[in-house]
Amino acid sequence: MSLRKKPLLALGFVLLALVVLIFVVPPLMEHSIAAWLRYEARRSGLVVGFSEIHAPLFRPVEIRELKIVGAGLDADHVEFDAGRIEAGLSFAAFFGGSEKSHLLSSLRVEHAKLFIRGRAPLSAGPVDWTALARLLPERFEIFADQLRLEQPFSLLTFQDAKISASKGNSGILSIGAVEMRAPSLEKRFAHVRGVTRWQDDRLSIGSVNLLEGFTIDSLVIDLTGLRIGRVGTDLGVSVLGGKMRANIATERPGKTRLWEAAGTASGISLPQLASALGLTEPVQGMVRASKFTFRGDPRDFLNATASIWTELTGFSWRERNADVIMLGANFYGHTVQLQQLFIKQRRNELTLSGETAIGTEWLNPDFRGDISASINDLGQFAELFGASPDSFAGKVAARGRMHAHERTVDGDLALTGDALKIFRVPVDSLTARIGLESGRAHVDQLELKRGEDFLRAQGKIDLAQKKSFTLSAESWCRELGDYALEFPIIGTLSGALSAKLTGAGDEKSFSSTVSGQTDQFSFSAQSNWRSDAIAINSLKIKLSDTAEAEVKGTIDLTDPKHFRANLSSANELRCDGPFADNGCGNGLELREGESGLPFSEITLDGRNLTLRQSSTSAVAQSIQLCDEGEPGQPVQINIPKRPQPPPPSPPPALLPSPAPPPPYSASAAIVLRAQPLPTREMLRRHRLARFLLPLSRKSIARAGDPARPRVAPEPLAVHRSLYSAKNADKEAASQRGSGLDYPELPMKEDAVFPPSRAMIHLANRVYP
């Protein structure tokens, strides 16, 4: 081949290669990019779709209508839409670049929308972080119509956002509106501006002025560890004269993603911060100093570690006031350690410390705590916890400790108070002693006194046996009207009250017995309490010795705002009260009487009181009970007198004493008995007759000697069987030693005559 033809041949090969590149490489690149996108999406558990891909030679790759969807726990977790994506390829990275070189020289995204909802599934597929790291561009420009992050109780949205950055040059950040929503928080920031810088895979954003006095000094997003799945963030904020810094990093070394966070804050004004963030409730005070740390997976908080230390001064929120609040706590190994909770008011101090295990059974807690309090203004201290300061007053001192481990609880608490007011009720003194030992809590003493009035209670709780407990209490009150107490249905009471309560139960039910005495009546009740109902086994009300009533039934507690009860009386009661159009009834008034319509069943449904007889044909009486503050007359319940037994009949007139019987009255008694007389053979067979025979011998006169009077019987002597062969010798010796001379029994026709009364009785029983 001549030298002239060689350049032409080389030029032909070059032209052929260009033709091949122009017509073959673009379609090959388009199919390769589409296949790679589907492969990576499938590996990561995502679904990807697009309308078309253009890959012209020596020009940026264009992808239209790109959509990426990732499933979550309840719905789509991630959803990304982009109308147009333009990516410039770096051929130097494709042909001879290192693994750390970037494949994209530029990236432009238009009309992007990003939605992140709820929580990602724990079983999400692995992500090729190395490939994502190589796709980081050298310069980028992103236009987003909307970015929306939704959680169950919070929302963060960005509207009309634009960000651009490049190596060696500053970029811009522009956001049309930023909106935040959370419980008690709602704020919107408009026209947010800032500057950006992209250097060594770090994006720095600064000088973002959200509000006056609220500026993001620096926000650094570190992507240098993206190859191993690690992303870090450093935030520095100037907040209303104070400073706050936070560092947040995340990585996924295994199946779960770990988060690390640490932050500090100091000199932050709470009212200005609340106003800047749009808090709906005012708050006062200052964060003097604060630190916090966290490491772990927020979805598996029990296996994470965290710590916090905060000091607030001049705190005030919702009428809650405190001069100083200090809180220090750690969480690690399923254990919360409260290093200190110190609350100081002008005249009050409270210190708490301890630790407890999280995730254990509530019946088997692991807890240790100490408490020390000196409360000189109980009203101010109660206000800190949301109570009305007018309802409490006085001085209280408390000190105690508690330790619970392996179903064993040990500890004690001593509480004393003077010149108190508890729920607007004056109390002269309060004394309480509570002990904990071997899984049992016992209230050794609980006593409230006001003058001569008192309330004393004792009880025990067995934490190891389904929270079983026993309770006993007694009280005395000279005048109930001093306490402004109002009872359901009954209304207000006045006069003196003496009452006693005993009961026992567990976490499911409680059985109690109550008895008491007022000026108007006395009562006793036996009931069984459950979470949804009260079973009244017996409620006895006694007005006098002749007027008494007993009621049984149930009270429904499923709806505390709608009181329901069904009661029945063992005896008939009567009612005088406003019915129909006569207004409402303000409580019940018990009296002794016979007037009114009879009833034996009581039904209460809310404010509707119905009284009826037990028979279905009886006419029901209905009345509307008065609401709180509504005037009305009490419903009079009359208890009829108990029927009295007839008076006893007068005793009969006394008759004159009969004449003394003749000497032979014993024989007359024999004639009246139609029974055979005992013979000697009968006496030998019956041991009991032989035992009784000697007892009556000396009271019998000899036959044929009526002039001899009967002598008084001698004291009875207990003898063994007189005719027993076993005791015959002993009996004979006894008679010889004592010198007794027993007379012979008179006999008539082989029978003892006349018989004694004991013998007559034996004859009737043994020989019917």
Side-chain angles (χ1 to χ4, degrees):
M1 183 180 296
S2 62
L3 295 176
R4 294 179 180 179
K5 295 181 179 181
K6 287 182 179 181
L8 295 176
L9 185 61
L11 182 60
F13 278 112
V14 171
L15 293 176
L16 181 60
L18 290 175
V19 171
V20 171
L21 289 175
I22 293 173
F23 292 99
V24 177
V25 172
L28 182 62
M29 288 287 295
E30 294 173 2
H31 286 83
S32 300
I33 294 173
W36 180 82
L37 288 175
R38 294 189 179 98
Y39 171 74
E40 291 295 341
R42 194 183 310 111
R43 287 185 57 191
S44 304
L46 304 174
V47 178
V48 64
F50 48 85
S51 61
E52 55 183 347
I53 297 178
H54 295 286
L57 189 63
F58 305 119
R59 294 181 60 186
V61 177
E62 182 180 354
I63 304 176
R64 293 185 177 273
E65 305 298 334
L66 177 64
K67 185 173 184 178
I68 302 174
V69 178
L73 294 178
D74 300 322
D76 292 341
H77 171 58
V78 176
E79 183 177 349
F80 175 76
D81 294 319
R84 179 174 178 271
I85 297 178
E86 185 179 277
L89 302 180
S90 175
F91 290 98
F94 277 100
F95 304 102
S98 64
E99 293 183 357
K100 296 184 179 181
S101 58
H102 296 172
L103 299 178
L104 300 181
S105 59
S106 64
L107 178 65
R108 180 183 176 87
V109 181
E110 298 176 359
H111 301 292
K113 294 181 180 180
L114 176 63
F115 300 92
I116 300 178
R117 305 181 182 92
R119 295 168 56 185
L122 294 175
S123 59
V127 178
D128 191 350
W129 297 105
T130 303
L132 288 180
R134 297 196 67 186
L135 290 178
L136 294 177
E138 296 181 359
R139 62 180 183 276
F140 61 87
E141 191 174 14
I142 300 175
F143 299 87
D145 296 339
Q146 185 179 18
L147 281 77
R148 187 182 184 93
L149 286 78
E150 294 183 10
Q151 294 297 326
F153 302 102
S154 60
L155 172 66
L156 178 62
T157 60
F158 299 86
Q159 301 286 344
D160 300 328
K162 175 186 176 182
I163 183 172
S164 62
S166 61
K167 290 184 177 181
N169 296 320
S170 298
I172 60 171
L173 171 67
S174 174
I175 303 176
V178 179
E179 185 176 359
M180 297 186 300
R181 292 181 184 177
S184 303
L185 173 63
E186 184 174 353
K187 188 62 179 178
R188 177 184 175 88
F189 303 98
H191 307 294
V192 178
R193 299 290 185 271
V195 296
T196 63
R197 183 178 179 85
W198 177 246
Q199 185 73 32
D200 297 332
D201 296 342
R202 289 184 177 89
L203 176 62
S204 300
I205 302 175
S207 301
V208 180
N209 188 10
L210 299 176
L211 289 174
E212 183 179 357
F214 192 174
T215 303
I216 299 178
D217 298 328
S218 64
L219 173 61
V220 179
I221 302 176
D222 188 358
L223 301 178
T224 56
L226 188 60
R227 296 179 181 275
I228 58 176
R230 180 179 179 84
V231 178
T233 302
D234 184 83
L235 175 65
V237 180
S238 297
V239 184
L240 307 169
K243 293 290 184 179
M244 184 176 68
R245 296 195 63 85
N247 297 307
I248 302 175
T250 178
E251 60 180 344
R252 190 171 184 175
K255 294 183 178 180
T256 60
R257 177 167 292 279
L258 299 180
W259 292 79
E260 294 182 4
T264 60
S266 62
I268 298 177
S269 174
L270 293 181
Q272 296 180 5
L273 178 63
S275 177
L277 296 178
L279 291 177
T280 57
E281 297 180 1
V283 61
Q284 301 292 328
M286 175 178 291
V287 180
R288 183 175 180 274
S290 178
K291 296 180 181 179
F292 71 91
T293 61
F294 175 83
R295 176 176 172 79
D297 185 0
R299 296 176 297 184
D300 189 13
F301 187 80
L302 292 180
N303 293 319
T305 60
S307 66
I308 185 173
W309 183 83
T310 301
E311 180 180 352
L312 303 179
T313 58
F315 177 76
S316 175
W317 175 65
R318 283 186 178 182
E319 306 301 330
R320 296 167 171 83
N321 301 300
D323 297 335
V324 178
I325 298 179
M326 297 178 62
L327 172 64
N330 295 325
F331 177 73
Y332 60 91
H334 295 221
T335 301
V336 176
Q337 182 182 11
L338 180 63
Q339 297 174 339
Q340 184 185 45
L341 173 59
F342 177 73
I343 301 176
K344 186 180 185 307
Q345 294 176 312
R346 290 189 299 272
R347 303 176 60 192
N348 305 323
E349 289 186 3
L350 172 67
T351 303
L352 293 174
S353 63
E355 64 179 28
T356 183
I358 303 297
T360 59
E361 299 179 3
W362 71 274
L363 286 176
N364 186 19
D366 191 355
F367 175 80
R368 178 189 60 81
D370 297 281
I371 181 174
S372 176
S374 176
I375 311 299
N376 295 315
D377 188 347
L378 185 59
Q380 185 187 32
F381 187 76
E383 187 181 18
L384 183 62
F385 298 93
S388 173
D390 298 334
S391 301
F392 299 87
K395 298 180 179 181
V396 176
R399 183 176 296 275
R401 62 172 185 84
M402 187 174 71
H403 181 210
H405 181 67
E406 295 294 336
R407 293 186 179 270
T408 301
V409 181
D410 299 305
D412 56 80
L413 174 65
L415 188 67
T416 58
D418 297 314
L420 299 174
K421 182 171 65 173
I422 302 176
F423 296 106
R424 301 182 185 274
V425 177
V427 177
D428 294 340
S429 64
L430 165 66
T431 304
R433 298 183 185 277
I434 303 173
L436 301 170
E437 184 178 1
S438 300
R440 293 177 176 85
H442 48 89
V443 181
D444 298 328
Q445 181 184 13
L446 175 60
E447 185 177 41
L448 299 171
K449 286 185 177 181
R450 179 190 177 189
E452 296 182 358
D453 301 348
F454 66 85
L455 171 63
R456 300 187 183 100
Q458 300 85 28
K460 295 182 179 180
I461 302 176
D462 192 347
L463 301 176
Q465 298 294 331
K466 296 183 179 180
K467 203 179 180 181
S468 61
F469 62 91
T470 58
L471 174 66
S472 64
E474 61 176 342
S475 65
W476 159 256
C477 176
R478 179 175 293 275
E479 178 54 52
L480 288 172
D482 297 341
Y483 298 94
L485 299 177
E486 184 172 353
F487 298 90
I489 304 177
I490 299 177
T492 58
L493 296 178
S494 61
L497 171 65
S498 174
K500 290 184 178 181
L501 166 67
T502 59
D506 54 23
E507 57 185 355
K508 296 182 179 179
S509 64
F510 169 64
S511 299
S512 65
T513 300
V514 184
S515 61
Q517 176 74 45
T518 67
D519 294 341
Q520 296 85 11
F521 60 89
S522 63
F523 63 92
S524 63
Q526 295 179 357
S527 59
N528 192 339
W529 298 63
R530 300 191 306 272
S531 60
D532 57 347
I534 302 175
I536 301 177
N537 302 325
S538 174
L539 173 59
K540 295 182 180 180
I541 302 175
K542 185 177 181 181
L543 298 181
S544 64
D545 294 338
T546 59
E548 183 177 355
E550 182 177 4
V551 176
K552 300 179 180 180
T554 58
I555 299 176
D556 190 357
L557 301 178
T558 53
D559 187 1
K561 297 182 180 180
H562 195 84
F563 202 72
R564 293 185 177 91
N566 292 291
L567 306 175
S568 61
S569 174
N571 51 342
E572 187 178 86
L573 305 177
R574 295 180 178 273
C575 176
D576 284 339
F579 293 95
D581 299 332
N582 294 335
C584 64
N586 189 3
L588 302 180
E589 182 180 358
L590 302 177
R591 289 187 180 181
E592 181 179 355
E594 304 287 342
S595 64
L597 299 176
F599 69 94
S600 59
E601 293 186 358
I602 305 172
T603 302
L604 180 65
D605 188 358
R607 295 172 54 197
N608 298 321
L609 178 65
T610 304
L611 309 177
R612 62 166 62 90
Q613 289 279 33
S614 57
S615 61
T616 56
S617 59
V619 179
Q621 311 172 63
S622 299
I623 185 172
Q624 188 83 4
L625 296 180
C626 298
D627 202 354
E628 183 178 359
E630 186 178 359
Q633 296 296 326
V635 180
Q636 181 176 332
I637 303 297
N638 295 326
I639 301 178
K641 291 184 178 181
R642 184 171 57 248
Q644 298 296 324
S649 58
L654 297 177
L655 299 177
S657 301
Y664 295 98
S665 60
S667 61
I670 297 175
V671 174
L672 294 177
R673 301 281 185 176
Q675 297 291 342
L677 295 176
T679 63
R680 292 181 181 274
E681 187 64 22
M682 293 178 184
L683 294 176
R684 292 190 186 98
R685 293 197 306 266
H686 202 283
R687 298 179 61 187
L688 183 59
R690 295 199 304 270
F691 169 75
L692 295 174
L693 181 60
L695 305 181
S696 58
R697 289 187 301 183
K698 291 197 174 185
S699 63
I700 302 175
R702 290 179 179 269
D705 191 6
R708 182 178 178 180
R710 292 178 296 177
V711 299
E714 296 178 358
L716 301 180
V718 178
H719 299 275
R720 297 185 183 272
S721 179
L722 187 61
Y723 300 96
S724 173
K726 180 178 179 181
N727 299 324
D729 298 338
K730 297 180 180 179
E731 197 68 32
S734 174
Q735 293 181 7
R736 288 193 301 270
S738 59
L740 295 176
D741 184 14
Y742 292 91
E744 262 183 73
L745 293 178
M747 306 297 294
K748 185 176 180 180
E749 295 180 358
D750 199 25
V752 178
F753 183 86
S756 67
R757 294 185 178 182
M759 293 173 61
I760 295 172
H761 178 66
L762 286 172
N764 291 337
R765 293 185 57 187
V766 179
Y767 308 101

